Amino acid sequence: DSADYDAEVKSICPFCGVGCQVSMKVKDNKIKYVDGINGPANEGRLCVKGRFGFDYIHHPHRLTKPLIRRDDAPDKGLNVDPANPWTHFREATWDEALEKAAHGLVDLRSYYGGKSVAGFGSAKCTNEEAYLFQKLIRQGFGHNNVDHCTRLCHASSVAALMENVGSGAVTAGFNEIENAEVAIVIGANPTENHPVAATYFKQFAKDGGQLIVIDPRAQTLRRYASHMLQFRPGTDVALLNAIMNVIVEEKLYDRQYIEGFTEGFFEFRDHIRAFTPERMSEICGIDPDTIRDVARTYAGAARAMIFWGMGISQHIHGTDNARCLISLALLCGQIGRPGTGLHPLRGQNNVQGASDAGLIPHVMPNYQSVTDPEVRALFRHIWGGTEIDATPGMTVVEIIDAIYRGEIRGMYILGENPAMSDPDVEHARKALAQLDHLVVQDIFLTETANFADVILPAAAFPEKNGTVTNTNRQVQMGRKAISPPGDARPDWELLVELANRIGLDWDYDGPRSVFDEMKMSMRNLHHITWNRVENEGSVTYPANSKDDPGQSVMFGDGFPRRAGRAKFTPARVTPPAEAPNDEYPMILITGRQLEHWHTGAMTRRSAVLDDIEPEANCSLHPATLRKMGVAPGGHVRLSTRRGSVEIMARADRSVAEDCVFLPFAFVEAAANVLTNPTLDPWGKIPEFKYSAVRVDPA
Ligand code: SF4
């Protein structure tokens, strides 16, 4: 009823990378409710988070004043009550807080050098804010130690795509599934994590498409699947190489495509011959006949797509897993036409855009390498003479380790929550406590803000303007619907304030002027203007002209690599970093669940979402619970080599009997107390999807 609201503002859902367009109904500076509208990624649909999860912005825990750590505060630790932080922090004016934030960082720069300060930016911010954040670190401190949560989700996928395809983004939007005959969904649970994208996958199956679901959990999507392969965790390369072995041995590959568009096939063919379905079946647990059937189904399709999630990427062999998926598509020529492609489903609503904007330690905006002298010359020119450090910077987990070594002594963390999201999180929390100076900018007093010296209150997503880029490469407009509470200010404004106080000479009058500067170095944004995004609602990159709505499918005429050819990179079977043993006999898999988003800072402060899923929980097979004598809803203790948590256990037949699935949104049973920090050597992503664990009745 329009009487319920005074204004209607079109924007983007702040949660996942699907990028659903929403209409926010506003009255008295409050969002009353949210509807889905006809965006290209959602066509009016929303999931429960987008529909009901907006009220976190009105939660009483919102930060409304700058805070400074009190001189007589207790030692730093996870010990601050967000409703009553006054024994640890005191209110400050903006001027005092910004001066203290800036001077603390500048003092470290003067005394220990610029590399003593690192930054974590955020995929929850806009493209313009991500761009400004990496610029502040690179220009203000003279190095590339800047990263964000892509390191914990798809860094390995991007490493493999950059290496073999020449571009880190998806080759086709997920809506292309409408044109496919066969689709593989592997290591992803879109029903919970990309729910609106999942509706397209389900419709595809209902319309007769063959949906091949490959996952260690027999998730809900199996009901729509022609094939459900519940393989052993951590054996992705064995299974995928076996599928490709069948395609090579039975000559099901697309010879013409391989000759025209790829390199490295013959070495790859020789490599793959050892990975027979019979041998690999013993490792991955899928019978050889099923492997052959899946190989023939994918290779026999006229048009086929591959979708993947963090089940692929979050392994010490995450880059190898993604290399296999790329090789599979190249073998069968399934890239570059409608209904074909490779699509890593991106997590945060702007993780694609934040990565594009250069919030990554080894590349500048648009994935331009810091080691390339021409790239550095370009940015020197655009950034008024700034010398760009030619050394790739440290990644998230490496930065935490560098704090222990005393190399990094100060940090600026915007919108990230490493005190919850990092592997072996007690290790990360101790590192944060050790910093000489920590500036946290956020909308809530997060677990990470517990360790801050200065906290800068930021505007939430519906309280500011800016562009965001979804998993489909669609650049869309996030619009301000209401004013921020109290003294909170948009992140871009705070970045400009801080930059000028650390000695930079920045002059931006709003996100639009930042976007215009981004266009000077970002080929992706060619033919995409602020006005186009504003007026058209969504423009996909690449766009071929100022009228082109953008290309959903890329690489029909070659790849942005040498001679236009994509590359086969062979992958070997690597076991997980730690094997189960008598003491830790089961396998821990962490992930998300439908109602809660990442570290829970937003969704656990949303009334509807928290009412549906209020308690920390893990999932175990009913037979496993029976053996332990624990009833569903009872409590168990999960222990790994890093720590232990106590948590309510649900019975879930989709989880294998030797596995436990644990969401990571709950601070009271933080999954990352348990996880293994060992990194994939290329993507530098931790192995969140496999830890040896012991489960006991609590
Ligand atoms: Fe938001 Fe993702 Fe749900 Fe769409 S699918 S409403 S973008 S959380």
Side-chain angles (χ1 to χ4, degrees), residues 13 15-16 18-20 46-47 49-50 194-196:
C13 171
F15 292 105
C16 91
V18 171
C20 296
L46 291 181
C47 78
K49 289 192 286 292
H194 301 86
V196 167

Side-chain angles (χ1 to χ4, degrees), residues 554-571:
M554 290 169 76
F555 311 135
D557 51 3
F559 295 90
R561 291 190 76 257
R562 191 178 53 217
R565 289 173 180 273
K567 185 172 115 191
F568 288 97
T569 297

Side-chain angles (χ1 to χ4, degrees), residues 27-91:
K27 187 169 187 175
D28 301 330
N29 205 40
K30 287 235 181 306
I31 297 179
K32 305 298 283 185
Y33 61 96
V34 168
D35 282 331
I37 56 174
N38 193 26
N42 65 316
E43 298 177 287
R45 302 165 219 193
L46 291 181
C47 78
V48 68
K49 289 192 286 292
R51 177 76 179 82
F52 297 109
F54 60 87
D55 57 336
Y56 71 90
I57 54 171
H58 302 309
H59 193 279
H61 286 177
R62 276 296 298 276
L63 291 166
T64 58
K65 298 273 184 203
L67 300 178
I68 290 178
R69 182 167 289 277
R70 297 173 67 99
D71 292 337
D72 58 353
D75 287 347
K76 288 181 181 178
L78 201 61
N79 51 7
V80 184
D81 174 0
N84 181 18
W86 308 120
T87 44
H88 297 75
F89 295 98
R90 64 175 174 82
E91 282 185 9

Side-chain angles (χ1 to χ4, degrees), residues 131 365-366 368 378-379 382 517-523:
Y131 176 87
N366 233 110
Q368 300 175 88
L378 171 68
F379 282 92
I382 297 172
E517 180 178 310
M518 292 167 70
K519 283 173 62 62
M520 295 166 75
S521 64
M522 294 181 65
R523 196 182 56 236

